[in-house]
Amino acid sequence: MSSFLKKVTDKTISRRNFLKATAAGTAGLALTGCGSVLAPAGGKVNGLGEEQGEWIPAACWHNCGGRCLNKALVVDGVVMRQKTDDTHEDSPDYPQQRGCLRGRSQRQQVFGADRLKYPMKRKHWQPGGGDKSLRGQDEWERISWDEALAYIADELKRVKKDYGNRSILHIGGWSSRITDISRTLGLFGGYCEYWNTNSFGSWAMTPKTVGFMQLGVWDQTVNDRFDLRNCETIIMLSMNPAWSAMGSSSWHYRQAKKAGAKFIGIDPFFNATYSMLGAQWVPVRPSTDAALLLAIAYVLITKDHPTLNPLLDWEFLNKCAVGFDAEHMPQGEDPKGNFKDYVLGTYDGIPKTPAWASEICGVAEDQIEQLALEFRKDKKVAFICGMASGRTRNSDNLPQLIMTIGAMTGHMGKSGHMTGSTMHATSGNGGPALVCAGSNGLPGIPNPVDDSINAGQVWDAILNGKYNFTGSGDFTSADQYQPGVERDIDIRIIYHSGGATLQTSDGMSKGIEAHRKVDLVVSHSQFVTTNSKYADIVLPVTTEWEKIGGFSGGTLVHSGNREMIIMYSQISEPLYEARSDQWIAIELAKKLGIDEKAAFPFDEKQQFFNALASTTVVNEDGKSFGPLVTITQEDIDELGVTGKPQTGKITYHELKEKGVYQVKRYPEDNYGYIAYEDFVRDPENNPLSSESGKLEIYSRTLAKTINDMGFSTIQPIPSYIKPAGGFEDTFQEWESKAKGEYPYQVINPHYLRRSHSVFDNVKWLQEAWPNPVFLNTNDARDTGLADGDTVLITSPYGKILRNACLTERVRPGVVALPHGAWVDMDEKTGIDVGGADNILSGQIPTGQGVSGFNTGIARIEKYTESQLIPDVEKAARIVFQEGV
């Protein structure tokens, strides 16, 4: 090992290639002077080529939606290079599962000098809290694993005894229920849960309630990738798969473009996807999609003529929908409450004309009329919506309205016609998974505590001791949407076992305040993330490269591609003193007096095997499924697990070597998918998920459910509701149009530098993507700003600094601040110099508990105190650099 280190320090192997995949004792990777600054590398390094190493499938596990194939070249335990899918020739019909710049920089993350090396305690924390005000500013002390787990166990016992299990808030990222530590805490007596609509926004609950859902998930409402090529017009609302949906999504849209499809992009930001596809841009204001779509409905209704100008599909409306007009209202409901009369202003006196909408949404009247005519029923149209549109306060009717436009024009259930949402995971390729990931076989452990706090009020709940309880569970469960009841709560411990909740939830400034109130904050992490920065005890956890292996893809949600599954292997032994989340859960269980076998009846090897053996793949008939992997008794013995041999499509060792199994597809195969096809053919025998079994343009269930929750109210039909923190709030007084203190709207587009907040510490990516704030050139001129100026962005909730990037691609009046930058708070000024988007947002729960990530207002001004240095020039957050 000493000779290898000499090669590194002599730079015969560059820092770029110094990615040692060994245990802590051989590492000390944070070499003095290396930091995370990378020396250039060229060609083969010291003669170490592919022939001397092994390409091993390596996890790319972060939530960009791609889950692409990633391989690491390991030579003598050192990761020398990475590559992506080359298991077969690339083609439009059979595309490779290719990685992006984030996945290809994965080794800079896994082996970065800023990896957390040891369990740490905040210097001034003591049992009971110590000096809580120093969270986020205090020094760190290295402690042993035994000390760390003892501190946590003792505090859990104390808080349980004095305040009860309700005082333990467990936050596990996407869901409080699916992490390893939730099993231990469940057996300990339970914990208060945290729930969030996450990326889905109002797409979380509305679709399944109104029938706008297929296969029990959100993003199977559009046809598969081959049928995209049959569309004449593809209308995209708030979508940017080129940045936020890796894998083959953009490739599929390009094939539709080559086949002759016309593209239209409705968005405040003319993004890379629209540019790539040559899309016509409709520059709508943020959070005003409902006004625009209501005006489109008005044009369709008023200009429709069954023979001279057939715009509406009356046969579809009569057969498949309820509530469009007075003749099709649900039994017992007032006929005057129908959608058509609302749009025409029959009873409220406000016709939803293009002129009415234009004042709100900013799209010119003639452009609204032209856009409406693009939806006409006699064209093959795909109306495809990203979920950013639903990450808006008071947008609960929006998915219902999008569905209504599709129903009015009949763009559902047939080839070349589709209406629906495409989450980043399956954008461009709707349909059920053809390869289905197996289960690890662990039995579920219930949470005895039913408290569950919505993200839009969680920090207020900690600070004020009250919250609106709307049901236990998570947002995917019907139990989450119960009538609201105010409850008292006294949170004493915040336990972050995963995710980046403090960073990625609304109201980060208030979140920091809440973290400085409780007795103990625990964070599992690989770096000093925001969760860990404001914690008391930080536990270093392994990455997926340091685990036994696993799977990605093969699920209906978050698969990245319905046609494949990826199996990755272990690349490195755990670095330094990092341990797996499951190891932590087991050891903490022991400290709490819990039988570890009750929490985890079998080990991680057996869990891996169970998932391997239960993974299934579609058969050639396109309907039935069978085992994917052929497993022999020798494989079972090699893995050291219990199981039975089986026959599948690919051997275990072949899958381990390739790292991917992909169903080979071709046009007219048996795997195609047309959303709603069976329902449209025979609605009575193929009912949808709504109360009526049809598409509910009038949904009393939706209105009652949301109104009973108690955050805000809606109507049973799609209607325009002024968003909290939307365009109207940029004015001092709406009628006079006098601008107020915060005249700009803020949106938070996903950004190629990171996956949400993950990768934001990687210097390669910081250099490539500098994370500016995007401003319209005319707005900048009006405020005296030049390109590259440091600007202060102030909202009612916080202040941040960014360097300005002037562009015509953002519509006037809009500030595009990339989502996910790590907060870097200047405690003296109260200004975040990291550019964290949620510093500008507040805790304002509405409707179904939607977070308002794209509903914000702010003012912009030139910052003259200093020039913000580029992120790449900032020091990495390295703790205990001296090594072991």
Side-chain angles (χ1 to χ4, degrees):
M1 183 62 190
S2 60
S3 62
F4 181 81
L5 288 174
K6 188 175 187 302
K7 291 177 183 178
V8 175
T9 54
D10 289 346
K11 300 188 183 299
T12 54
I13 294 181
S14 73
R15 171 63 181 164
R16 178 173 294 178
N17 292 305
F18 178 55
L19 302 165
K20 184 58 180 153
T22 58
T26 62
L29 291 186
L31 297 178
T32 302
C34 285
S36 290
V37 179
L38 310 173
K44 292 184 178 180
V45 179
N46 201 36
L48 297 178
E50 291 188 28
E51 67 279 2
Q52 298 184 28
E54 178 184 7
W55 284 105
I56 301 176
C60 192
W61 67 94
H62 303 296
N63 191 22
C64 70
R67 310 302 203 279
C68 309
L69 184 60
N70 192 4
K71 289 189 175 184
L73 177 62
V74 181
V75 180
D76 293 332
V78 181
V79 176
M80 305 303 295
R81 294 209 304 275
Q82 285 180 242
K83 69 176 181 179
T84 188
D85 189 7
D86 57 3
T87 56
H88 59 81
E89 292 295 320
D90 194 29
S91 70
D93 290 355
Y94 189 39
Q96 295 173 344
Q97 304 308 305
R98 307 190 69 164
C100 74
L101 72 170
R102 292 174 290 203
R104 295 181 193 222
S105 68
Q106 190 93 61
R107 64 194 189 276
Q108 292 300 317
Q109 181 196 40
V110 174
F111 301 108
D114 54 347
R115 275 289 298 271
L116 290 175
K117 301 168 179 64
Y118 322 111
M120 303 187 303
K121 181 184 81 70
R122 187 170 61 81
K123 182 176 181 179
H124 290 91
W125 178 83
Q126 296 296 329
D131 188 344
K132 302 175 183 181
S133 68
L134 291 176
R135 288 186 180 119
Q137 306 171 68
D138 215 344
E139 298 177 52
W140 293 106
E141 296 178 337
R142 176 182 174 182
I143 57 177
S144 68
W145 272 106
D146 188 66
E147 288 175 298
L149 294 170
Y151 278 133
I152 297 168
D154 289 346
E155 284 293 277
L156 286 169
K157 292 174 185 177
R158 178 185 67 82
V159 166
K160 176 178 180 176
K161 177 178 179 293
D162 294 345
Y163 306 100
N165 286 80
R166 299 179 67 231
S167 293
I168 304 165
L169 175 64
H170 171 226
I171 303 177
W174 195 71
S175 171
S176 295
R177 294 185 169 188
I178 61 175
T179 67
D180 290 319
I181 206 69
S182 66
R183 304 177 64 82
T184 296
L185 293 178
L187 293 171
F188 183 62
Y191 51 91
C192 177
E193 295 182 357
Y194 159 97
W195 71 277
N196 195 342
T197 58
N198 293 290
S199 296
F200 302 96
S202 56
W203 292 93
M205 185 262 278
T206 297
K208 59 188 173 187
T209 307
V210 302
F212 193 33
M213 180 180 285
Q214 287 276 275
L215 308 175
V217 293
W218 303 265
D219 45 357
Q220 306 305 330
T221 52
V222 298
N223 306 350
D224 82 340
R225 61 186 175 93
F226 283 105
D227 198 60
L228 271 179
R229 305 174 192 178
N230 296 323
C231 299
E232 295 175 274
T233 304
I234 298 177
I235 302 171
M236 295 175 147
L237 173 65
S238 67
M239 291 181 64
N240 189 9
W243 274 15
S244 60
M246 296 301 102
S248 304
S249 302
S250 297
W251 187 234
H252 302 327
Y253 291 117
R254 281 186 64 84
Q255 307 320 307
K257 176 73 174 175
K258 290 178 181 179
K262 171 185 177 181
F263 282 82
I264 299 172
I266 306 172
D267 204 295
F269 189 19
F270 186 77
N271 58 49
T273 299
Y274 307 143
S275 177
M276 172 189 70
L277 297 171
Q280 174 188 332
W281 185 28
V282 180
V284 67
R285 291 189 179 109
S287 309
T288 64
D289 301 307
L292 173 65
L293 294 175
L294 287 169
I296 287 172
Y298 180 91
V299 174
L300 291 169
I301 292 169
T302 57
K303 292 189 177 295
D304 173 63
H305 188 283
T307 54
L308 299 179
N309 194 29
L311 301 178
L312 298 183
D313 192 329
W314 286 101
E315 180 183 359
F316 187 99
L317 285 169
N318 292 333
K319 179 180 176 183
C320 299
V322 297
F324 175 70
D325 55 18
E327 289 71 37
H328 294 87
M329 287 289 283
Q331 187 173 3
E333 298 298 320
D334 185 353
K336 293 182 179 179
N338 71 85
F339 177 75
K340 179 182 175 184
D341 280 320
Y342 170 75
V343 170
L344 296 176
T346 304
Y347 302 109
D348 68 1
I350 306 174
K352 312 310 179 291
T353 64
W356 167 85
S358 182
E359 185 177 28
I360 299 169
C361 72
V363 181
E365 294 177 47
D366 59 344
Q367 191 172 19
I368 293 175
E369 292 199 14
Q370 293 169 10
L371 178 59
L373 298 178
E374 294 286 355
F375 284 90
R376 60 187 307 124
K377 77 166 190 175
D378 55 358
K379 292 180 65 177
K380 291 184 175 181
V381 177
F383 185 23
I384 306 177
C385 310
M387 293 192 172
S389 59
R391 295 194 285 272
T392 299
R393 299 186 188 104
N394 294 322
S395 64
D396 300 275
N397 284 129
L398 181 61
Q400 183 189 23
L401 180 52
I402 289 165
M403 176 199 76
T404 298
I405 298 296
M408 289 172 63
T409 50
H411 296 310
M412 293 184 184
K414 50 192 174 183
S415 176
H417 303 256
M418 60 192 88
T419 301
S421 64
T422 59
M423 188 180 174
H424 53 73
T426 56
S427 184
N429 196 13
L434 303 179
V435 190
C436 300
S439 167
N440 64 15
L442 288 173
I445 295 177
N447 178 14
V449 173
D450 72 346
D451 284 284
S452 187
I453 309 176
N454 176 251
Q457 59 175 183
V458 64
W459 311 136
D460 279 326
I462 294 171
L463 294 169
N464 303 325
K466 294 183 183 297
Y467 81 102
N468 183 37
F469 173 76
T470 63
S472 59
D474 60 43
F475 78 94
T476 62
S477 167
D479 292 339
Q480 188 60 77
Y481 304 106
Q482 302 302 314
V485 177
E486 184 176 89
R487 284 189 177 183
D488 293 331
I489 197 75
D490 184 8
I491 299 299
R492 295 284 171 158
I493 293 177
I494 300 174
Y495 199 122
H496 291 285
S497 67
T501 304
L502 179 55
Q503 177 71 54
T504 58
S505 288
D506 278 337
M508 194 191 305
S509 295
K510 192 165 283 187
I512 292 171
E513 185 182 351
H515 277 66
R516 287 173 171 165
K517 179 177 185 290
V518 299
D519 296 347
L520 173 67
V521 181
V522 180
S523 175
H524 295 200
S525 193
Q526 293 145 8
F527 309 95
V528 185
T529 61
T530 306
N531 284 356
S532 294
K533 182 179 176 67
Y534 293 93
D536 299 307
I537 296 177
V538 178
L539 306 179
V541 293
T542 52
T543 67
E544 294 299 309
W545 281 25
E546 298 154 78
K547 296 180 182 178
I548 186 174
F551 299 86
S552 59
T555 59
L556 289 176
V557 180
H558 292 162
S559 68
N561 188 325
R562 63 186 289 246
E563 299 156 13
M564 65 88 183
I565 191 168
I566 288 170
M567 187 179 89
Y568 53 87
S569 298
Q570 186 171 8
I571 302 299
S572 164
E573 293 297 320
L575 296 179
Y576 306 102
E577 292 185 8
R579 299 291 183 267
S580 73
D581 293 286
Q582 194 163 127
W583 182 92
I584 295 170
I586 290 170
E587 294 304 311
L588 183 59
K590 294 177 184 177
K591 296 283 188 186
L592 294 171
I594 296 169
D595 179 6
E596 64 179 277
K597 291 297 182 183
F600 297 93
F602 38 86
D603 64 17
E604 293 182 71
K605 280 188 178 181
Q606 187 66 50
Q607 294 165 38
F608 170 81
F609 175 81
N610 292 346
L612 178 74
S614 58
T615 296
T616 57
V617 62
V618 70
N619 291 319
E620 284 73 14
D621 60 10
K623 298 178 180 179
S624 61
F625 284 76
L628 172 66
V629 185
T630 294
I631 302 173
T632 66
Q633 186 60 51
E634 289 76 15
D635 297 331
I636 295 169
D637 294 341
E638 177 186 323
L639 287 167
V641 296
T642 301
K644 296 180 180 179
Q646 63 182 40
T647 301
K649 302 278 188 178
I650 186 172
T651 68
Y652 165 63
H653 279 282
E654 184 182 359
L655 181 59
K656 185 177 180 181
E657 179 183 352
K658 286 186 173 181
V660 62
Y661 180 87
Q662 183 176 350
V663 175
K664 190 170 185 178
R665 295 202 56 199
Y666 53 89
E668 310 303 325
D669 60 22
N670 289 326
Y671 310 131
Y673 176 72
I674 305 294
Y676 299 103
E677 185 175 32
D678 292 339
F679 166 72
V680 172
R681 175 179 49 80
D682 185 359
E684 300 305 321
N685 290 311
N686 297 280
L688 301 175
S689 55
S690 63
E691 177 188 2
S692 65
K694 294 187 177 183
L695 299 170
E696 292 192 347
I697 299 172
Y698 184 102
S699 177
R700 56 191 166 201
T701 302
L702 178 67
K704 184 177 189 321
T705 301
I706 287 178
N707 295 344
D708 285 351
M709 287 177 71
F711 292 128
S712 62
T713 59
I714 66 168
Q715 295 188 47
I717 56 172
S719 57
Y720 181 72
I721 303 172
K722 184 181 84 67
F727 174 62
E728 289 93 330
D729 289 336
T730 65
F731 294 91
Q732 200 172 48
E733 202 272 320
W734 173 250
E735 295 302 326
S736 68
K737 297 299 186 289
K739 279 293 187 178
E741 184 179 0
Y742 305 105
Y744 294 93
Q745 290 184 270
V746 182
I747 60 172
N748 304 127
H750 288 209
Y751 192 53
L752 265 177
R753 175 163 127 184
R754 49 189 171 258
S755 174
H756 293 288
S757 66
V758 179
F759 292 110
D760 200 45
N761 57 320
V762 176
K763 292 298 178 182
W764 282 3
L765 296 174
Q766 288 179 358
E767 184 177 7
W769 295 85
N771 200 67
V773 59
F774 297 98
L775 308 175
N776 181 271
T777 303
N778 292 327
D779 288 339
R781 184 177 60 245
D782 293 343
T783 51
L785 296 174
D787 196 68
D789 280 352
T790 297
V791 296
L792 176 66
I793 306 174
T794 305
S795 82
Y797 309 102
K799 301 177 179 181
I800 69 164
L801 294 181
R802 280 292 88 192
N803 290 326
C805 177
L806 308 188
T807 177
E808 299 287 345
R809 298 194 304 152
V810 178
R811 67 153 292 130
V814 175
V815 175
L817 177 67
H819 162 62
W822 290 11
V823 69
D824 185 8
M825 187 65 69
D826 183 331
E827 297 287 346
K828 293 180 180 179
T829 63
I831 299 174
D832 167 39
V833 300
D837 47 327
N838 284 312
I839 286 291
L840 300 180
S841 67
Q843 295 254 285
I844 309 175
T846 62
Q848 60 200 261
V850 169
S851 293
F853 299 125
N854 288 311
T855 323
I857 57 177
R859 67 174 179 267
I860 311 163
E861 56 198 301
K862 186 172 182 177
Y863 189 72
T864 58
E865 298 298 318
S866 61
Q867 178 71 24
L868 188 67
I869 66 170
D871 295 337
V872 71
E873 295 178 15
K874 291 182 180 180
R877 297 181 182 179
I878 299 173
V879 184
F880 302 122
Q881 184 169 336
E882 69 273 12
V884 179

